[in-house]
Amino acid sequence: LYTYGIRSSVVDNDILGNPEVSTCLAGFRLAINHEDTLAAAEIAIFFGHQPQDIVSKSFDESFEFKFNEQIEKLMLLDVNDRTPYELLTEVISILGIENHLRRYHDSSQKLENINSLLTFCKKYEDMTTGSQLPCTAIGFLSEIESLIESQDERDGKQSKDAVTIVTYHRSKGLE
């Protein structure tokens, strides 16, 4: 399109904006930083807690989320003995996200989003290993943050007088 003088921007189907992926990443963050109360709240909301209940009850020290056992298991994970992929896989398992998602009619797409996150994590590991860089959980979160920032920058550069090309996951050739 550029060759023909047509301004364009590309938008992809951003998996990071999906609740199931955000919840996996919240669990990952909580496993790394046990003081990340925002991550705990994100997980609680995903599993049906009302945000106003979380805020109002957060001052009560006896308040426990209904899945407190999973939160405790996340906090007991030794993040130093696992690769980011292993840690993410364990977080997904502990939270029971895949089983939770199977209750929805569009579960196959939601599960595919989780699989895409795992694939991205594996690619991060392969990239760091191939470049002889350290492969850490914090590094993976930094990579996710960079991806979010680049998405935000790209979104800000879109123009009203440009063709926007949208791609959807698993729809090769339909652009």
Side-chain angles (χ1 to χ4, degrees), residues 70-88:
Q70 289 95 330
I71 296 292
E72 287 177 18
K73 284 183 181 179
L74 286 178
M75 292 180 175
L76 292 174
L77 284 175
D78 186 355
V79 299
N80 297 318
D81 286 345
R82 290 180 169 79
T83 67
Y85 182 84
E86 292 168 343
L87 179 60
L88 184 58

Side-chain angles (χ1 to χ4, degrees), residues 3 13 25 30 44 63 69 76 79 145-146 174:
T3 306
N13 187 16
L25 292 172
L30 189 61
F63 174 68
E69 181 180 321
L76 292 174
V79 299
E145 185 62 32
S146 295
L174 296 178

Side-chain angles (χ1 to χ4, degrees), residues 48-117:
H49 285 277
Q50 297 301 314
Q52 59 272 23
D53 290 342
I54 295 169
V55 172
S56 66
K57 294 177 181 177
S58 64
F59 297 106
D60 179 1
E61 291 183 21
S62 65
F63 174 68
E64 294 183 5
F65 296 120
K66 67 181 175 185
F67 52 91
N68 197 42
E69 181 180 321
Q70 289 95 330
I71 296 292
E72 287 177 18
K73 284 183 181 179
L74 286 178
M75 292 180 175
L76 292 174
L77 284 175
D78 186 355
V79 299
N80 297 318
D81 286 345
R82 290 180 169 79
T83 67
Y85 182 84
E86 292 168 343
L87 179 60
L88 184 58
T89 302
E90 188 70 20
V91 164
I92 292 167
S93 175
I94 287 171
L95 290 176
I97 290 176
E98 291 176 326
N99 290 333
H100 178 76
L101 293 175
R102 285 190 178 92
R103 297 187 292 177
Y104 295 94
H105 72 280
D106 60 345
S107 65
S108 61
Q109 180 59 52
K110 292 178 184 300
L111 291 168
E112 185 63 36
N113 292 339
I114 301 294
N115 195 34
S116 293
L117 177 63

Side-chain angles (χ1 to χ4, degrees), residues 1-169:
L1 294 176
Y2 178 78
T3 306
Y4 296 104
I6 300 172
R7 295 179 62 192
S8 62
S9 63
V10 178
V11 177
D12 61 0
N13 187 16
D14 179 28
I15 67 159
L16 296 175
N18 293 314
E20 59 275 10
V21 172
S22 295
T23 304
C24 292
L25 292 172
F28 193 87
R29 291 190 338 256
L30 189 61
I32 295 169
N33 176 5
H34 305 156
E35 302 298 317
D36 191 341
T37 55
L38 179 58
E42 288 178 42
I43 295 166
I45 290 168
F46 180 79
F47 285 103
H49 285 277
Q50 297 301 314
Q52 59 272 23
D53 290 342
I54 295 169
V55 172
S56 66
K57 294 177 181 177
S58 64
F59 297 106
D60 179 1
E61 291 183 21
S62 65
F63 174 68
E64 294 183 5
F65 296 120
K66 67 181 175 185
F67 52 91
N68 197 42
E69 181 180 321
Q70 289 95 330
I71 296 292
E72 287 177 18
K73 284 183 181 179
L74 286 178
M75 292 180 175
L76 292 174
L77 284 175
D78 186 355
V79 299
N80 297 318
D81 286 345
R82 290 180 169 79
T83 67
Y85 182 84
E86 292 168 343
L87 179 60
L88 184 58
T89 302
E90 188 70 20
V91 164
I92 292 167
S93 175
I94 287 171
L95 290 176
I97 290 176
E98 291 176 326
N99 290 333
H100 178 76
L101 293 175
R102 285 190 178 92
R103 297 187 292 177
Y104 295 94
H105 72 280
D106 60 345
S107 65
S108 61
Q109 180 59 52
K110 292 178 184 300
L111 291 168
E112 185 63 36
N113 292 339
I114 301 294
N115 195 34
S116 293
L117 177 63
L118 287 165
T119 300
F120 181 78
C121 187
K122 193 66 172 154
K123 286 180 182 178
Y124 162 76
E125 286 186 5
D126 293 344
M127 185 248 336
T128 55
T129 303
S131 302
Q132 298 180 340
L133 298 170
C135 182
T136 65
I138 297 293
F140 174 66
L141 287 177
S142 294
E143 189 72 18
I144 292 288
E145 185 62 32
S146 295
L147 187 65
I148 291 169
E149 287 174 7
S150 68
Q151 175 77 27
D152 291 345
E153 287 175 13
R154 188 181 71 212
D155 289 348
K157 291 180 182 175
Q158 291 179 6
S159 171
K160 290 182 181 178
D161 61 344
V163 174
T164 301
I165 302 168
V166 180
T167 63
Y168 289 95
H169 186 63

